[in-house]
Amino acid sequence: TPLCRAPMGGLMASTRAFASASVGSVGHSHRRAGASAAKPAASRVAHARWSAKAAYSETGDVIGRGAGSGRARRRGSRSGLHVVALTQVGATIPAALTLASLAKYSAAGGLGGLVSHTPSVPLDVIKTKLQTQPEKYKGMDMWQIGTEIVRTEGIGSIFTGAGTTAVGFTLHGVFKYSGFEAIKFMTFKHGAGYKAGDAIAVFCQDHRIQTLLFAGAIAELFATLILCPLEQTKIKMISDPNYADGWVSGVKRLIREEGVEGIVSTLPVIWTKTIPYTMFQLATYDVTSSALRSWANGLPFEPPSIALQLPAALLAAVIASLASHPGDTLMSTFNGECPDGAEECPGFDFVEDEELDEDGMIKPKRRGLLETAMGLGPGGLMLGWKERLAHTSLIVVIQLTVYDDIKRALFR
């Protein structure tokens, strides 16, 4: 692919650079024995590797990995060497945005979403139960809540919503990552690109973090449209075990009872969670992994991918989880069901003059989004943040490493 292919001239130049450095070090070894002793062999080899890698400067652009710094700009043509020199992940951008490259991003994102979200379903069930029924699980830790759910509802209940999670986040990953990569391409490589002085490309490069946050927000804005009905169904199934027997029947009931208009009306509350989550997840990972790779460039050896991926992914998980947790609580509360016979439920009002249900009980009335947020308050909005942090960390670390590795393999 254009991302990984170097011209034949670049290959020959790299070979000559490495050979020259190697022969030079041997030829001068007798005349400059003292200097050779002062300069470790590892440093000479590292210098030769750097010279060889520099020949690949025209293989493509890289956004991140220090490309925005003054030092990287002064090097100019060397900025692209990281694409080939470091076979690690990062904000690599292909020479052209084609259907084939979008398909590769989509495949990597879909598999990353599937593999990361499905194993974490039990943690999601525990977190959602705590958010929708805080009085029932008050004072319990994650293990105690999980044990109580299994004891009262059966072992299968801890995996409630696994179907909607697998389908929803596979599709979500497809649109989220392909959209993010496409927007990065259209901004960082706008027009003739940064090196040619294109105004938009220069502005985006100079405001890299803001551009990455923008790309994550726009990508998530559209990806959530696919995820919305499946997430709603999952929350309703977790909060009310009798809502549906499976995810297919759950989605059918949701459409039958809420209608398309009702589903769309819940988009703002879901966006309060998903947009901050994706913005900070992808931007934090991109910036942090870039910094780590710039640091690793000075090492005399190439560290394994996981050594650079793991700390970047963990930091992205923490920041994304905390930034989006108020929205997550609102989404769980706003889409949750009030169990039959309950006298109090978050997000609901029990008004005596309201209509009664079939059993003669007062039918709860759902509050509006702003009213729900004000009713919960700061403490209520952050309820279950520890449980969600464990849940999010597992998801983000698996998702980003899987996505990166698959992307690298497809673009190799």
Side-chain angles (χ1 to χ4, degrees):
T1 64
L3 177 65
C4 299
R5 188 168 54 244
M8 182 60 70
L11 179 60
M12 295 175 65
S14 67
T15 304
R16 287 196 300 269
F18 188 87
S20 176
S22 301
V23 171
S25 65
V26 174
H28 292 289
S29 60
H30 297 289
R31 296 191 300 270
R32 300 172 58 188
S36 297
K39 186 176 183 180
S43 299
R44 297 198 304 275
V45 173
H47 177 73
R49 288 170 60 194
W50 169 266
S51 301
K53 291 171 185 176
Y56 289 96
S57 60
E58 297 181 358
T59 57
D61 290 339
V62 71
I63 305 303
R65 304 189 196 156
S69 65
R71 181 183 179 188
R73 289 178 187 170
R74 288 194 298 271
R75 284 176 179 168
S77 63
R78 285 191 175 187
S79 63
L81 67 89
H82 299 281
V83 178
V84 173
L86 290 181
T87 57
Q88 321 254 349
V89 296
T92 50
I93 299 180
L97 189 66
T98 64
L99 289 176
S101 61
L102 283 176
K104 292 176 181 179
Y105 289 133
S106 298
L111 287 171
L114 173 65
V115 172
S116 62
H117 278 272
T118 305
S120 66
V121 166
L123 289 172
D124 194 28
V125 171
I126 292 171
K127 181 265 304 177
T128 303
K129 286 284 190 182
L130 179 61
Q131 290 174 331
T132 56
Q133 301 177 43
E135 291 300 321
K136 181 177 180 179
Y137 300 105
K138 187 175 182 180
M140 296 185 184
D141 57 27
M142 283 191 295
W143 178 258
Q144 291 171 328
I145 295 173
T147 303
E148 179 65 14
I149 293 171
V150 171
R151 186 185 69 81
T152 57
E153 300 177 21
I155 186 67
S157 61
I158 204 70
F159 298 100
T160 301
T164 57
T165 297
V167 175
F169 281 99
T170 297
L171 295 174
H172 178 261
V174 167
F175 289 93
K176 168 182 169 179
Y177 284 99
S178 62
F180 181 68
E181 300 288 358
I183 295 169
K184 282 201 304 184
F185 180 90
M186 291 186 287
T187 51
F188 288 116
K189 296 199 71 172
H190 183 272
Y194 169 77
K195 293 180 182 178
D198 182 87
I200 293 179
V202 170
F203 177 84
C204 292
Q205 185 64 31
D206 290 340
H207 300 81
R208 179 177 159 232
I209 295 178
Q210 294 91 326
T211 303
L212 292 172
L213 290 170
F214 169 79
I218 299 301
E220 186 57 54
L221 187 72
F222 292 98
T224 299
L225 297 176
I226 306 297
L227 183 64
C228 178
L230 293 161
E231 273 292 275
Q232 284 182 271
T233 302
K234 180 191 72 175
I235 293 172
K236 290 182 181 295
M237 290 175 63
I238 293 174
S239 60
D240 182 5
N242 300 318
Y243 185 80
D245 294 331
W247 73 271
V248 175
S249 59
V251 171
K252 289 181 179 178
R253 178 177 173 179
L254 178 72
I255 296 173
R256 184 175 65 252
E257 294 182 354
E258 304 285 342
V260 175
E261 184 179 350
I263 296 173
V264 172
S265 67
T266 64
L267 275 171
V269 68
I270 294 181
W271 275 328
T272 62
K273 168 196 172 181
T274 58
I275 290 179
Y277 177 84
T278 295
M279 286 173 63
F280 287 96
Q281 175 203 5
L282 297 182
T284 301
Y285 182 77
D286 200 295
V287 171
T288 307
S289 60
S290 298
L292 289 173
R293 281 167 178 75
S294 295
W295 167 77
N297 252 356
L299 298 176
F301 61 93
E302 186 174 321
S305 296
I306 194 65
L308 304 179
Q309 290 172 327
L310 189 58
L314 283 172
L315 182 61
V318 172
I319 295 177
S321 180
L322 295 177
S324 63
H325 192 78
D328 182 77
T329 302
L330 278 174
M331 188 178 79
S332 296
T333 303
F334 201 75
N335 289 298
E337 291 293 311
C338 191
D340 295 336
E343 298 181 357
E344 184 179 357
C345 292
F348 288 89
D349 283 326
F350 290 79
V351 184
E352 292 186 3
D353 59 356
E354 289 291 327
E355 60 178 308
L356 303 179
D357 59 18
E358 298 176 354
D359 299 323
M361 304 290 292
I362 297 175
K363 198 171 183 179
K365 180 182 178 181
R366 192 182 295 276
R367 298 172 183 168
L369 178 59
L370 183 59
E371 188 181 2
T372 301
M374 293 178 64
L376 289 170
L381 287 172
M382 293 304 294
L383 185 65
W385 72 269
K386 294 179 182 178
E387 290 78 7
R388 182 165 180 260
L389 183 57
H391 175 224
T392 302
S393 298
L394 178 63
I395 289 175
V396 170
V397 170
I398 295 175
Q399 185 175 117
L400 289 175
T401 54
V402 168
Y403 172 72
D404 280 344
D405 289 339
I406 295 176
K407 182 176 72 172
R408 281 192 300 139
L410 291 176
F411 278 98
R412 184 168 297 161

